[in-house]
Amino acid sequence: MKTVLIAALCAAPLMSQVAGGLLSVEPKNFVLSRSGARQSLLVTAHFKDGKSRDVTAEAAFHPADPEILTVDASVAVAKAPGTSAIAVDAVGMRASATGQVLNKTQDRPFSFDADIAPIFTKNGCSGSQCHGSLNGQHGFHLSVFGYDPAADYAAVVKGSEGRRVNLKEPEKSLILAKPTFQIKHGGGKRFAATSPEYIALLNWLKNGAPQGAPGPKLVALEVFPKDEVFLTGPDDRHRVVVVGTYADGEQKDLTRDVSYTANDDEVLAVDSSGLLTPKKSGETAVMIRLFGVANVVRVAVSFRAPLGASGAIHSQNLVDAFTFPKMHSLGIVPSELATDNEFLRRVYLDLIGTLPRPAETAAFLADSRPDKRARLIESLFQRTEFANFWAMKWGDQFTNSPEFLYDGTAYFQQWLRKAMANNMPYDEFARALVTSTGSRYEERPSGFYGGAKTPLDLASFTSQTFMGVSLECARCHDHPREKWKRADFHGLAAFFAQVSEKNQTQRTNEVSIYIDYKKEFEHPETKAVVRPKFPGEDRPLEFEPGEDRRDRLAAWLTSPKNPYFAPAIVNRVWKQFMGRGIVEPEDFRITNPPTHPELLAKLSEDFIEHGYDLRHLMRTILNSRTYQLSSQVNETNRDDSMEYSHYYVRRLTAEQLADAVSEVTGVPERYPAFPAGKRAIELPDEEVHSNFLDIFDRPARQSATCTRKASTNITQMLNLMNGDSINSRIKSPAGTLARLLQASAGDRDIVGRMTLAALARPAKVGEIAAIEESVKRSASRRSGLEDYLWALLNSKEFLYNH
C-alpha cells in the first residue's frame, strides 16, 4: 500500500488559528473504501467575534499526494490505496484533513436496498404523509421512511399485480411517469426526467428491475457540522455533509442520498444536496433520514447582529449562564425584569395554582428585602396548595381516573399529595410507583397500575412517563427513525409480565396488585417466552425464584447513569414554569433535539447531585432571571418562541381559572358530593361534574401523553360573558362585592380591593377615574360596580398568566 504523509500537515490540529480566527474541515479523518469512492468536505471559518461562515466554495484544497486522492469542487475522490493529507486554505486561514483509501478492488454488487430504495426516501415518497403512511396512498404502501427495503421492493415490483413497472417499455412505468408528473400524481412532481433519480430508476427497469443482494445494513448517520449552525443573514448559506456507517464497517458519503426535512420550513429551506438557506429569524432542526436511520443538525437563524459587550445580562444562577449567552449570539435583547406584582401573581399560579390574596400581595409589595422573591418561593413550598396542585398534575400524568381506578382515585391522589408535601426524592417516588403492590382502595402508589393493564401497555406507559421516550412505534416493528427495536419494547414489557390483579371482596370494584411469579411474557406472534432486558441493551436478565423483576427495572430506571430519567423530569418541570420544554414536544428522540442541550444536561446533573430533590430543581428555575423576565416584548424578541427571552403568556388552566373566579368573587364553587369551598385543584379526578372545567379544557386522563390544552374558543367566551359561572357570583348577595357594599366601602376601596385580588396589583389612577365615571352613568351604583367586576373577570390580564 502506497502511503505518503506530510508530517507538518498531519500533525496540525483540525483547526489552525490564523488571522484572528479558526478554520475547520469536516470530516477531519475519512475513509474511502475503493478507487472512485467520493467524500464531500465542509470548510467552516470561525471568527473571533463569534460568527462562523461556510467557506467551502472559496476554499483551495491541496492533496499531499494526488495519486492517492484528488479534490474536485470540495469532493475528495479516491484514486489508489494509501493515505494522504489535504491542506485547505480559505479566508487567510489554513487547516487540514486526512483521507485514507482502502484496497477494496471488488465493486459492491447491485442492491435495490442501496441503489434504488433511497430514491423513495429522499424524495418523500416513503414519508408518513405519503406512501409511508399507515395505509399508504391509493393502494401503494411503502415502509415509513424506508426502514424495510425488502417490503418496498415487493410493493414496487409485485404490488397491484406489478402495474407500477413495465419491463417491456420501461419509460412507460408508473414508477417513472408519476413522480415526473407525466401522469397526474397527488404528490406532485418529485424529480425531473433528466435527473439522476430518473436515470437510476430507468436503468434499473431496463435491467429487469432486479432486487440484487441485500447488502450490509445502514447502522448510523454522522452529520457535519456537529454543533448548532448559526446563520446570520438571508445570504448566509451553509452545507451539510452526511457520512453513513454500515454493519460491515464500511463508510460512505451519503450527502446526496439522504432526505432532508426542516422541522420549521418557515425559518429555513434545505435542498436535496443539504444546502441550508435561511428565511427568517428563528430556530429549528433539520431531520436527515435514510433506511429508518436518522440524525439532525440544529440551526439557529438571526438576521440581527450579535449584541456588543453592553448587551451582556447579569446572570442570577446556572440557568441564566446558558440562556443569556445564546440570546446574545442571536442578537436578542431579553425583556426587562418583571415587576414585583407580575412576579408575585406568576409564581403563585405556576407553583401552587392559586392567586395571592390581597393581604399577601400588599405584604410582598411592601417588603424591601433584596431576597424577598427567593423567600416567597420557599414559603410557597410549605403551602397546602403546593401539594394539592402537584398531586393534580401527577394525577394527569398517571391517568388517575375512575375509568381505571373506580373509587380508588381519592386514595391515589392522597398518596401523591403526601409525596409532594414531604418532598419525596424523585427517584424514590418513581421506584415506589413502579414496584407498588396492594389494594387500590388504600393510600398506596398502586394506582400507578390503573390505566395501563397489559405488559405492553405498561412498557409504553413507563417509558413515556419516566424517560420521556415514546417506544410505542416499536410495539409492532423496529422504530423507523430511532434506535429502538421491537426487542427493546418486548424486553421492557417482560418486566411487567408477573404484575397481576385480584378482586377484593370487601368493597365494590376493589382491586389489589400482586406478583404472580409463574407468569412469563410471550411474544405476540411466536408465543415464545421473552426474557426481560433493558432498552438499548442486548443481554436478557436472569432472576432468582421469587424475585420481583420490577426492583431491578426501577434501579436501572432511576440510576444516575440512565440518560433519560433525570432529563425527562427536568424538562417537564421546566415546561411548567417556562411554558415550553427544552425538548418540545416532550418526546426525547434524536429527531427532536433540545433547544439548549447544555442547559438540560447541567440542570439534570445538578438535580442528581442534590438527591433528585424536586424543590431544588424548582427553586433553581424560579430564582433565575430568565424565569423572572417580563412578558412585555421588545423589537428584538417579539417573535421569539424558544429562547426564553421573555415570559411566554399562557391562559390559566381550567382549575386555576375556576379557583381564581371563586377567590375574587368570594363565592366558592359547589362540586357534587363535596362541601362548599372545595377547590378545583383538590378534586381527585376528572369525572367530578363541572361544565366550567370541561369547557376550559380539563384533561380526560386517558393516557401518559395526557396534555393540557389551552384553547380559546367561542364557547369559553360565551360562558365568561353570559354564563352563570361568572354572573351568578358577581350578583351573589354572599359575594365579596355585596359584603363591601354592605360595609359602606367607597368606590375607590372596592375597585382597589377587587383589582388587587384579581391582578395582584393596585388599581391605577386612570382606571379608578374611568370606573367612577362609569358608575355615575349606571342605573345604580351596585350595577355599575357589577359591570366593573364583570369586565375585570373577562380581561386578558385576569385570564392569562403573564
Side-chain angles (χ1 to χ4, degrees), residues 13 30 168 292 305 335 375 401 428 456 467 535 547 557 578 659 673 710 721 726 767 773:
F30 58 91
K168 293 182 179 179
S335 296
R375 287 173 177 268
S401 169
E428 182 181 333
L456 290 170
M467 295 168 59
E547 181 181 357
L557 187 68
M578 305 302 295
D659 288 345
M721 294 173 65
I726 298 290
E767 292 172 334
E773 184 62 30

Side-chain angles (χ1 to χ4, degrees), residues 113-128:
D113 298 11
D115 298 303
I116 300 301
I119 295 173
F120 303 120
T121 303
K122 182 179 181 64
N123 289 279
C125 309
S126 59
S128 58

Side-chain angles (χ1 to χ4, degrees), residues 455-461 463 470-477 484-495 521 530 533 535-536:
L456 290 170
D457 290 339
L458 286 164
S460 180
F461 183 70
S463 63
S470 176
L471 290 182
E472 188 63 24
C473 279
R475 182 187 285 249
C476 302
H477 51 71
W484 309 115
K485 308 300 181 185
R486 197 179 186 196
D488 292 317
F489 193 89
H490 290 166
L492 181 58
F495 283 100
F521 177 72
V530 177
K533 80 175 191 70

Side-chain angles (χ1 to χ4, degrees), residues 133-166:
S133 63
L134 182 62
N135 298 311
Q137 294 284 345
H138 304 292
F140 185 24
H141 188 197
L142 295 171
S143 63
V144 63
F145 306 125
Y147 83 92
D148 189 351
D152 293 343
Y153 176 82
V156 172
V157 177
K158 301 176 183 179
S160 300
E161 299 181 349
R163 63 185 292 266
R164 295 182 184 88
V165 299
N166 186 337

Side-chain angles (χ1 to χ4, degrees), residues 44-358:
T44 308
H46 309 266
F47 303 101
K48 278 193 171 181
D49 62 0
K51 294 181 180 179
S52 62
R53 183 164 63 87
D54 180 350
V55 294
T56 309
E58 47 200 287
F61 299 86
H62 309 288
D65 190 342
E67 293 185 10
I68 292 175
L69 58 81
T70 59
V71 180
D72 180 17
S74 76
V75 177
V77 181
K79 297 298 183 181
T83 301
S84 176
I86 304 172
V88 182
D89 295 312
V91 292
M93 296 184 279
R94 167 164 285 198
S96 68
T98 301
Q100 181 183 8
V101 180
L102 302 181
N103 192 23
K104 289 190 176 182
T105 56
Q106 184 177 1
D107 290 336
R108 179 181 57 79
F110 171 85
S111 166
F112 174 87
D113 298 11
D115 298 303
I116 300 301
I119 295 173
F120 303 120
T121 303
K122 182 179 181 64
N123 289 279
C125 309
S126 59
S128 58
Q129 303 301 314
C130 197
H131 297 290
S133 63
L134 182 62
N135 298 311
Q137 294 284 345
H138 304 292
F140 185 24
H141 188 197
L142 295 171
S143 63
V144 63
F145 306 125
Y147 83 92
D148 189 351
D152 293 343
Y153 176 82
V156 172
V157 177
K158 301 176 183 179
S160 300
E161 299 181 349
R163 63 185 292 266
R164 295 182 184 88
V165 299
N166 186 337
L167 300 184
K168 293 182 179 179
E169 297 180 274
E171 292 86 352
K172 295 182 179 180
S173 296
L174 288 179
I175 207 70
L176 288 176
K178 284 203 168 187
T180 55
F181 215 64
Q182 298 174 52
I183 295 177
K184 188 176 180 180
H185 177 223
K189 185 175 182 178
R190 310 312 296 178
F191 48 78
T194 56
S195 66
E197 291 95 334
Y198 183 92
I199 294 170
L201 283 169
L202 180 60
N203 289 335
W204 172 63
L205 293 166
K206 287 180 177 179
N207 286 313
Q211 186 170 9
K217 185 176 179 62
L218 180 68
V219 294
L221 293 175
E222 187 174 14
V223 178
F224 302 96
K226 294 183 179 296
D227 295 330
E228 185 171 26
V229 176
F230 283 87
L231 301 177
T232 58
D235 297 323
D236 185 11
R237 292 170 172 78
H238 207 293
R239 291 166 178 78
V240 173
V241 169
V242 182
V243 177
T245 300
Y246 291 82
D248 62 357
E250 183 173 343
Q251 294 184 333
K252 182 182 178 182
D253 182 359
L254 297 176
T255 304
R256 293 186 175 273
D257 297 310
V258 297
S259 69
Y260 300 91
T261 307
N263 285 354
D264 187 344
D265 56 13
E266 292 186 359
V267 170
L268 185 79
V270 55
D271 69 11
S272 60
S273 70
L275 182 65
L276 310 175
T277 302
K279 297 167 73 173
K280 73 171 189 177
S281 294
E283 187 171 0
T284 188
V286 174
M287 290 189 289
I288 298 152
R289 293 182 293 220
L290 183 63
F291 298 149
V293 181
N295 208 330
V296 295
V297 59
R298 296 165 50 229
V299 185
V301 178
S302 176
F303 292 169
R304 298 173 293 269
L307 303 179
S310 61
I313 300 296
H314 172 67
S315 295
Q316 293 182 184
N317 66 11
L318 70 86
V319 170
D320 305 325
F322 292 96
T323 55
F324 287 128
K326 188 172 181 185
M327 294 179 214
H328 193 280
S329 66
L330 292 171
I332 295 176
V333 178
S335 296
E336 299 295 327
L337 203 63
T339 63
D340 278 347
N341 61 272
E342 289 171 337
F343 170 78
L344 175 72
R345 187 176 190 270
R346 177 190 303 173
V347 76
Y348 262 73
L349 287 169
D350 281 344
L351 191 55
I352 66 173
T354 304
L355 287 177
R357 294 185 173 90

